[in-house]
Amino acid sequence: VQLQASGGGLVQAGGSLRLSCTASGNIFSINVMGWYRQTPGKSRELVADIMAGSNTNYADSVKGRFTISRDNAKNTVNLQLNSLKPEDTAVYYCKAVGMYSGNFRHFNAWGQGTLVTVSS
């Protein structure tokens, strides 16, 4: 399973960005899709995730500013980032947890990361 992320870039504080990530490969189902972020010297942290039934979970630091959504038919997860702050600067990674088609074994796949830079 491969995840292709896009949408990062440079934005001023208060601005918006939209990240997208599409999973492809031998996929039977995807239970959870999510976004994590990481800055130098720190652990990767959960930003938001969304279940197949559309239940969502957000980090406290992004609640009310970021919105996660998914298109199950397209195996795509999106993250709308509004009211961006300099502390949101990080490499953002998408993640998908699901099952392979055919053997129904579980997979836990990561995208390549996309850089979001918020200037003050």
Side-chain angles (χ1 to χ4, degrees), residues 58-110:
Y58 292 93
D60 287 342
S61 59
V62 307
K63 284 180 180 177
R65 299 189 298 121
F66 292 6
T67 302
I68 191 169
S69 61
R70 67 186 280 179
D71 184 331
N72 292 327
K74 296 180 179 180
N75 290 333
T76 296
V77 61
N78 301 303
L79 186 68
Q80 180 67 39
L81 296 75
N82 296 331
S83 302
L84 281 160
K85 304 176 181 179
E87 51 263 43
D88 294 317
T89 296
V91 177
Y92 285 69
Y93 297 89
C94 59
K95 177 181 176 180
V97 179
M99 288 194 291
Y100 292 105
S101 61
N103 60 20
F104 303 108
R105 296 184 69 176
H106 290 274
F107 66 80
N108 186 349
W110 290 90

